[in-house]
Amino acid sequence: MFSLRRSNGGARALVSIVLSVAAATALVTVGTGSASAWGPVPAPTFKSEQINGYGMPNPVVRSWASTTTNPKTAPTIIFLDGLRATPKINGWESETNVAYLSKRGYNVVMPVGGQSSFYADWDRPSISAGQNSAYRWDSVLQHSLPDYLNKRGFSKNRTLVGLSMAASPAIMLATRRPDLYTRAVSMSGFPHLTAPGMQTMLRAAAYDSGRYNLNDMWGIFPNVKAFQNDPWLNVGAMRGRHLWVYAAAGVWNGLPPNIATFGTGLSGSALEIVSMEQSQTFSLLARAAGANVRTSFFPVGIHAWKFWQDEVYRIDKAGWFRNG
């Protein structure tokens, strides 16, 4: 994650380690926002239903069919949550207003849950987190979610929007299963999961967020699955895939109103700096490998919901969700 050009030697490695420590702290503190949410009275086309969990508790999917176009032809946008996902509601619903895209000719879909899961199929339950069954999110996203979307009558013109933790899984799913997902958005993601310092950072963050032990996901690092699911190392398979990569420079857009916001802002800055570093180089590699990559790198912005909501509407304005 932090060593983008390893030939730069010791100085680069030192910077990487410092950033990893800062970002590890940030991942366990960032997760709140102030953007207006959909509200307590959803749209008439709203549904909340359980789907097959493939051995883990059946997850809930909350969805809004397009109210202005035929759902069978409206593009479908699936929003995946971040590290601190809750079992009650997707952060995209509680912290943003992107569900209103259903009034702009889109089907909006939000799976609920997946805290610290990286949307993977885990090798075993994480006992330290109190799990009785292992996560099976990759199976859900490859099987029961597409089946549910078909049953719902939603179009197969689908975009996965992966936020932070979910960005790399979104990229890899769109890479491996273009029959299921037409394109993917990496929203302040970390597309080099096996970079020096990254695994330490992720383990610290996952343990803080629910006491999850990442050794229960794919085993002790290094392991084959970690490399197989690192977008940076798999750009050769991305020829012809459609990706939108967003990150910001970690710069605030104003003074924080209080000390709590000040602390969150510092954490969000650290995370976004690392995301920007990785995302820029990943985009170059993926484009060189033949992927259709749109980039959106902003000089102002931190790891926070307001900026992600704004970016979603920029993508909408560009028409990329429809035909990118």
Side-chain angles (χ1 to χ4, degrees):
M1 166 177 181
F2 309 109
S3 182
L4 298 183
R5 292 181 291 276
R6 296 181 182 177
S7 60
N8 287 354
R12 187 70 169 181
L14 179 60
V15 172
S16 297
I17 292 170
V18 171
L19 283 174
S20 70
V21 172
T25 303
L27 270 174
V28 302
T29 58
V30 173
T32 60
S34 59
S36 59
W38 177 261
V41 183
T45 61
F46 170 79
K47 285 190 177 182
S48 178
E49 299 178 291
Q50 287 188 326
I51 61 174
N52 185 358
Y54 282 85
M56 71 176 186
N58 292 339
V60 169
V61 176
R62 295 167 67 85
S63 61
W64 296 258
S66 171
T67 61
T68 56
T69 57
N70 187 338
K72 292 182 179 180
T73 57
T76 300
I77 308 174
I78 301 102
F79 289 93
L80 302 181
D81 213 340
L83 186 85
R84 306 188 77 84
T86 75
K88 295 181 179 180
I89 196 168
N90 188 305
W92 282 103
E93 182 180 354
S94 62
E95 304 294 341
T96 80
N97 62 18
V98 298
Y100 279 102
L101 287 168
S102 62
K103 293 186 175 183
R104 297 177 59 84
Y106 297 99
N107 304 315
V108 177
V109 180
M110 298 185 188
V112 177
Q115 181 185 33
S116 297
S117 69
F118 294 87
Y119 289 96
D121 281 0
W122 286 41
D123 289 346
R124 55 186 173 270
S126 191
I127 303 302
S128 57
Q131 285 188 313
N132 295 316
S133 56
Y135 275 137
R136 288 289 181 265
W137 276 104
D138 186 63
S139 292
V140 166
L141 294 175
Q142 290 200 52
H143 301 289
S144 54
L145 181 62
D147 290 346
Y148 173 74
L149 298 179
N150 291 338
K151 178 183 176 182
R152 190 87 158 85
F154 287 179
S155 81
K156 295 184 179 180
N157 182 9
R158 301 171 183 150
T159 301
L160 277 173
V161 179
L163 165 65
S164 191
M165 169 195 82
S168 289
I171 292 171
M172 294 309 301
L173 276 166
T175 297
R176 293 170 176 153
R177 297 301 307 269
D179 57 318
L180 299 178
Y181 301 106
T182 312
R183 59 190 72 81
V185 176
S186 173
M187 191 74 74
S188 295
F190 307 97
H192 195 5
L193 298 173
T194 60
M198 186 65 175
Q199 288 292 313
T200 299
M201 177 189 117
L202 296 179
R203 278 164 167 71
Y207 190 78
D208 181 85
S209 181
R211 298 296 186 264
Y212 288 89
N213 182 352
L214 285 197
N215 289 338
D216 295 324
M217 183 165 70
W218 294 324
I220 297 172
F221 186 79
N223 58 75
V224 173
K225 289 182 181 178
F227 295 113
Q228 290 175 336
N229 287 279
D230 185 329
W232 183 295
L233 301 179
N234 291 277
V235 293
M238 296 180 189
R239 176 174 295 276
R241 302 299 186 262
H242 296 267
L243 306 174
W244 184 291
V245 182
Y246 163 83
V251 177
W252 301 2
N253 64 341
L255 294 175
N258 54 55
I259 191 66
T261 306
F262 178 80
T264 300
L266 285 178
S267 300
S269 291
L271 275 176
E272 202 64 20
I273 289 169
V274 175
S275 176
M276 174 73 97
E277 183 187 23
Q278 283 203 1
S279 297
Q280 286 180 323
T281 305
F282 166 75
S283 297
L284 293 174
L285 293 172
R287 189 175 287 126
N292 299 299
V293 182
R294 290 281 297 272
T295 58
S296 182
F297 299 132
F298 272 72
V300 174
I302 64 174
H303 212 73
W305 288 103
K306 175 189 182 302
F307 300 100
W308 301 324
Q309 174 180 285
D310 290 348
E311 184 63 15
V312 167
Y313 284 102
R314 281 193 289 265
I315 300 173
D316 168 37
K317 186 176 181 180
W320 191 82
F321 286 132
R322 301 182 186 276
N323 52 27

